[in-house]
Amino acid sequence: MLDPTSGPATRAGSTRQGHGGPRDVEDRVRVVIAEDSVLLREGLTRLLTDRGHEVVAGVGDGDALIKTITELDGQDLLPDVVVADVRMPPTHTDEGVRAAVQLRKAHPGVGVLVLSQYVEERYATELLAGSSRGVGYLLKDRVADVREFVDAVVRVARGGTALDPEVVAQLLGRSRKQDVLAGLTPREREVLGLMAEGRTNSAIARQLVVSDGAVEKHVSNIFMKLGLSPSDGDHRRVLAVLTYLNS
C-alpha cells in the first residue's frame, strides 16, 4: 500500500517552483522515504518537495518499504533513490538497513541513502559491500544542513556517493590496511577522506583552499601508493578506495 506524499508529476519540459527556486524536471529526482517518525518523515518530504523533487511514497517500516518498491517496480515507476532510517519497527535494530541491503541487491539502479543516529560501522560496511555506487550513509544531524542533505540525496540518486565524515573516519581509522595507509601523507589522508565522502576534485580543492591541479596530484599519489588505478567518475574512485579498505 503506497502512502503518496506529493502531488502529481510535473510534465516534461516544465519547471516547478520551490523555496530553492525553479527546477527543471530533468533535474528532479523521485524519492521514497522510509522513516517511522511521522514528524521526521513529513519534514523530509516537505524539505525535498519544496526544492522541486518528488516524494512518491512514505513508509514507516522495512517491510512496507520492500512492499512499496515492489509495487512501484510492477508499475515501472521505481524511484531514483530511497531515503531510509537504519532502525525501524518492530525491533528498532537493523530493519531499515536490512531492507536497504535487500533493495540494493534486487534493484541496483535505485540509490539508497540511509540515516542513522550514530555511526554504526557494521551497517555502513554491509551497505557498502560490493559497490558504493548510488549509496549514502549520513548521520541524522546532517539533515539540519538542508543544502548538504538535499545535495546528498540528488548525488546518490544520480549514482554518486554521500558518506558522513564520521563514517569515513571510522572506515579509515579501523581499516585492516593501516600499514599501507601509513604511507600516505597527512594531506593525502585528508584528500582520501574527502574522496570517500563523494566529493569531486574541484569540491576538494575548494574545501582545502588549494588548486585543482594540487588535488589531482594528491589523488594520483593516493592511487599509486594504494596500488589502485584511477577510473572515470567520482563514485568509481570512491568504490575503488572503499573496496580496498574493506577487503
Side-chain angles (χ1 to χ4, degrees):
M1 181 175 65
L2 300 186
D3 175 19
T5 49
S6 66
T10 309
R11 291 178 300 170
S14 63
T15 60
R16 177 171 179 172
Q17 184 75 31
H19 289 178
R23 177 181 293 276
D24 292 336
V25 168
E26 54 266 29
D27 293 333
R28 183 182 63 194
V29 298
R30 302 177 71 253
V31 188
V32 168
I33 297 175
E35 166 60 56
D36 63 296
S37 168
V38 176
L39 183 61
L40 180 55
R41 186 167 71 236
E42 293 188 355
L44 294 176
T45 298
R46 178 63 182 272
L47 186 155
L48 290 167
T49 55
D50 279 353
R51 282 152 186 81
H53 301 295
E54 182 184 4
V55 178
V56 297
V59 299
D61 61 72
D63 289 341
L65 173 59
I66 296 298
K67 183 177 181 180
T68 295
I69 296 300
T70 300
E71 291 180 6
L72 289 171
D73 186 29
Q75 302 171 45
D76 198 24
L77 294 173
L78 281 174
D80 299 303
V81 60
V82 169
V83 177
D85 190 0
V86 166
R87 301 185 176 192
M88 290 195 290
T91 67
H92 292 279
T93 53
D94 61 355
E95 284 85 356
V97 74
R98 283 195 288 107
V101 170
Q102 183 177 337
L103 286 177
R104 280 178 60 74
K105 291 179 180 178
H107 306 285
V110 176
V112 173
L113 174 62
V114 299
L115 303 177
S116 179
Q117 194 69 38
Y118 310 100
V119 177
E120 299 175 274
E121 185 181 347
R122 179 170 65 87
Y123 296 148
T125 301
E126 184 176 7
L127 190 66
L128 291 164
S131 172
S132 65
R133 187 182 189 283
V135 66
Y137 189 112
L138 297 180
L139 295 183
K140 286 188 175 181
D141 288 347
R142 307 295 177 188
V143 178
D145 190 324
V146 173
R147 181 174 180 178
E148 284 200 13
F149 173 70
V150 175
D151 285 349
V153 171
V154 174
R155 188 186 314 148
V156 172
R158 299 306 186 207
T161 306
L163 296 181
D164 193 283
E166 292 298 323
V167 175
V168 174
Q170 289 205 20
L171 289 177
L172 292 177
R174 298 184 184 181
S175 168
R176 294 187 296 246
K177 300 288 187 176
Q178 283 296 300
D179 55 332
V180 178
L181 291 182
L184 302 181
T185 66
R187 176 62 90 182
E188 289 166 353
R189 281 175 172 267
E190 193 171 10
V191 170
L192 178 58
L194 293 170
M195 286 170 57
E197 290 176 29
R199 298 177 187 264
T200 63
N201 283 0
S202 295
I204 294 173
R206 289 194 298 272
Q207 177 73 20
L208 300 181
V209 195
V210 297
S211 68
D212 287 1
V215 173
E216 290 174 4
K217 183 176 180 179
H218 288 312
V219 171
S220 295
N221 288 339
I222 289 168
F223 279 113
M224 178 183 67
K225 291 180 180 180
L226 296 184
L228 300 169
S229 299
S231 57
D232 295 334
D234 194 58
H235 68 270
R236 292 181 186 274
R237 300 185 309 163
V238 175
L239 170 60
V241 172
L242 292 181
T243 298
Y244 176 83
L245 294 175
N246 292 283
S247 62

